[in-house]
Each structure stands twice: as structure tokens, then as C-alpha cells.
Amino acid sequence: RVLFRSTEGYISAVDIIKDDETASYMSEVKEKLLPEIIGKNSLEGIDVVTGATASSQGVLEAVKVAMDEALLENNTSGGSNE
């Protein structure tokens, strides 16, 4: 599970709050992948961490789900998604 935060349309934080992965793999993912997601403000063009492919893919998928949920929450308070 991840916690995704955005401020004024920009990714301000991504935190891994629960995982069942090997600690050394997740350490690499946290160190390399999360700052890249925040820096690019997107999941586009983000490569998995070498040696931690499955962990990286799991985190990327979890972040995508969290981003989609945040977008849905923002759109349900009115407005249009056209």
C-alpha cells in the first residue's frame, strides 16, 4: 500500500505504508523510484529498479491506483471529467 499526496496538481509525496517485500529490495525502490516519481510528477517513463523488478512494478501499480483514486475523489465534488 502507498500513500499518495498531491498539492496543486503536483505529486508532493509518495510513501510506502505497507509491503510484504524483501527489505533490501524495498530500500532500493524507496531510494530510487519514489524520488523519480515525485520529480517527474508522473509515472510516464519511470523504469523499474534493477534487481528489484517485481517490487518496483508493485509500487508503480499501487501509486497508479492511488493517483486514480485521488483523481476520482477530486472529480466527485463537482466539475466534469470531459
Side-chain angles (χ1 to χ4, degrees):
R1 278 178 54 192
V2 299
L3 176 63
F4 165 83
R5 289 181 292 233
S6 64
T7 304
E8 297 180 10
Y10 293 95
I11 299 171
S12 57
V14 178
D15 298 310
I16 298 170
I17 55 175
K18 183 175 190 253
D19 71 81
D20 297 324
E21 299 292 329
T22 304
S24 61
Y25 295 153
M26 287 311 293
S27 177
E28 287 286 313
V29 168
K30 289 176 183 178
E31 183 181 308
K32 296 178 181 176
L33 194 69
L34 300 184
E36 189 174 359
I37 293 169
I38 294 166
K40 288 188 173 184
N41 197 49
S42 173
L43 297 179
E44 296 293 319
I46 303 286
D47 292 324
V48 296
V49 176
T50 302
T53 302
S55 299
S56 298
Q57 290 171 334
V59 168
L60 288 171
E61 181 60 30
V63 171
K64 181 182 182 323
V65 168
M67 289 172 73
D68 290 346
E69 288 175 359
L71 183 61
L72 272 176
E73 286 178 17
N74 288 337
N75 285 336
T76 58
S77 62
S80 172
N81 62 355
E82 295 182 288

